[in-house]
Amino acid sequence: MEKEINFRIATEQDLDKIVEMLADDVLGRKRERYEQPLPDSYIEAFRAISSDPNNELVVACHGDEIIGVQQITFTPYITYQGGWRATIEGVRTSSASRGKGIGTELINWGINRAKERGCHLVQLTTDKERPDALRFYEKLGFKATHEGLKLKLK
Amino acid sequence: MEKEINFRIATEQDLDKIVEMLADDVLGRKRERYEQPLPDSYIEAFRAISSDPNNELVVACHGDEIIGVQQITFTPYITYQGGWRATIEGVRTSSASRGKGIGTELINWGINRAKERGCHLVQLTTDKERPDALRFYEKLGFKATHEGLKLKLK
């Protein structure tokens, strides 16, 4: 790619493209609703994230085009002597941009942001149905030391 | 036990006992510092949690005695059509109270709190070195669908 990849906090104008990327995925298409107009629930969540100093929705841009997204949550915990952690979630790159190292740049950006925020740990969970994602994160230095458990509520 | 178990948001006066419980554990003793006075980092983390409407540090009490703790973080995400999740972390019961179902009551309290807050999912990770904890959460209905990855920062 000729143009540099830039990272910035998402604006509400980016939300359409973000939802499109999240829906364009083998697991995402089962659970997202990418429609026009965008369902209100996405807009409400966007505003809740944007107004929370401990949540950052980050987009990767190639020129004006949004090609990746991730959400980083910064959380203070009592454990580890009162240490802060960064949790990364909702990572996606646009299908046209896959295999070009954008995901690696995106996560490395998140790791640096976690350091800036004074976190001692970056954590995330990855669906066991995505073995490629597990290898991707392990290559970046993450260790799969934990089981990730989910309980769906009615 | 004769007295009922009550659950409430922790106060700063509870912090000493909370750190004592976290340190009194095979993994916790390697990473906590239960000393008098309590290291400032614990107090700073407690205040960051208490002042954040999306974080709740919850204690289980038997009369005046604190016998359990958990932290619940409520997070808005774009994924799942803008759904909120509850993340449970730092779960511990006092060594004298183990095997009495306190942990089950504590997590069920957290699940109900997540419902009250409109979450569609409760999530947590458990160290693969704690096979008993995995069975405990599975009995409560959690599914180990994900790998839990951690990256320690310098």
Side-chain angles (χ1 to χ4, degrees):
Chain A
M1 287 193 181
E2 292 139 37
K3 287 182 220 157
E4 213 182 317
I5 310 297
N6 293 300
F7 299 90
R8 60 171 173 78
I9 299 297
T11 68
E12 200 163 316
Q13 285 67 45
D14 303 326
L15 188 57
D16 193 280
K17 180 65 191 175
I18 291 169
V19 176
E20 188 188 359
M21 283 191 293
L22 292 172
D24 179 21
D25 168 83
V26 62
L27 298 179
R29 72 175 51 102
K30 297 181 206 165
R31 55 204 189 199
E32 304 305 339
R33 266 177 65 207
Y34 178 55
E35 297 170 4
Q36 300 301 334
L38 218 50
D40 283 346
S41 58
Y42 286 115
I43 298 162
E44 286 160 18
F46 178 85
R47 290 176 184 169
I49 293 166
S50 296
S51 64
D52 182 347
N54 288 335
N55 271 289
E56 293 182 357
L57 189 66
V58 176
V59 285
C61 304
H62 180 228
D64 288 341
E65 194 193 355
I66 292 166
I67 57 172
V69 64
Q70 69 181 332
Q71 182 172 339
I72 316 175
T73 305
F74 305 99
T75 312
Y77 285 114
I78 302 296
T79 52
Y80 286 89
Q81 301 178 34
W84 283 71
R85 300 184 191 193
T87 304
I88 294 178
E89 178 60 53
V91 177
R92 209 74 85 241
T93 54
S94 71
S95 49
S97 306
R98 282 176 202 153
K100 293 177 181 165
I102 313 294
T104 299
E105 280 194 60
L106 191 62
I107 299 299
N108 281 333
W109 192 94
I111 292 168
N112 284 325
R113 186 75 187 110
K115 288 178 185 169
E116 276 176 14
R117 291 276 306 230
C119 296
H120 71 94
L121 195 77
V122 181
Q123 62 185 15
L124 55 86
T125 68
T126 182
D127 199 303
K128 289 177 182 173
E129 290 182 30
R130 298 190 198 271
D132 290 355
L134 176 61
R135 280 189 293 272
F136 166 76
Y137 290 117
E138 286 181 330
K139 249 171 86 176
L140 285 166
F142 286 83
K143 308 282 180 208
T145 51
H146 286 61
E147 292 285 347
L149 293 111
K150 312 276 171 177
L151 176 74
K152 287 184 187 165
L153 303 179
K154 313 278 172 280
Chain B
M1 286 193 183
E2 293 139 39
K3 288 183 219 157
E4 213 182 317
I5 310 298
N6 293 299
F7 299 90
R8 62 171 172 78
I9 300 296
T11 67
E12 200 164 318
Q13 285 67 46
D14 304 325
L15 188 56
D16 193 280
K17 180 65 191 177
I18 290 169
V19 176
E20 187 187 0
M21 283 191 292
L22 292 173
D24 180 20
D25 168 83
V26 62
L27 297 179
R29 71 174 52 103
K30 296 180 206 166
R31 55 204 191 200
E32 304 305 338
R33 266 177 66 208
Y34 179 56
E35 297 169 4
Q36 300 301 335
L38 218 48
D40 283 345
S41 58
Y42 286 114
I43 297 162
E44 286 161 18
F46 178 84
R47 291 177 183 169
I49 293 166
S50 297
S51 63
D52 182 346
N54 289 334
N55 271 289
E56 292 182 355
L57 189 66
V58 176
V59 285
C61 305
H62 180 229
D64 289 340
E65 194 193 355
I66 292 166
I67 58 171
V69 64
Q70 69 181 333
Q71 183 172 338
I72 315 176
T73 305
F74 304 99
T75 311
Y77 284 115
I78 302 294
T79 52
Y80 286 89
Q81 302 179 33
W84 283 71
R85 301 185 191 190
T87 304
I88 294 179
E89 177 60 52
V91 178
R92 208 75 85 242
T93 53
S94 72
S95 49
S97 305
R98 284 178 202 153
K100 292 177 183 167
I102 312 295
T104 299
E105 280 194 61
L106 190 62
I107 299 298
N108 281 333
W109 191 95
I111 293 168
N112 284 325
R113 185 74 187 108
K115 289 179 185 168
E116 277 175 13
R117 290 276 306 231
C119 296
H120 71 96
L121 195 77
V122 181
Q123 61 185 15
L124 55 86
T125 68
T126 181
D127 198 305
K128 289 178 182 173
E129 291 181 29
R130 298 191 198 272
D132 290 354
L134 176 62
R135 281 189 292 272
F136 166 76
Y137 290 118
E138 285 181 330
K139 247 172 89 176
L140 285 166
F142 286 84
K143 307 281 181 208
T145 51
H146 286 61
E147 291 284 347
L149 293 111
K150 311 276 172 178
L151 175 73
K152 287 186 189 164
L153 303 178
K154 312 281 172 281

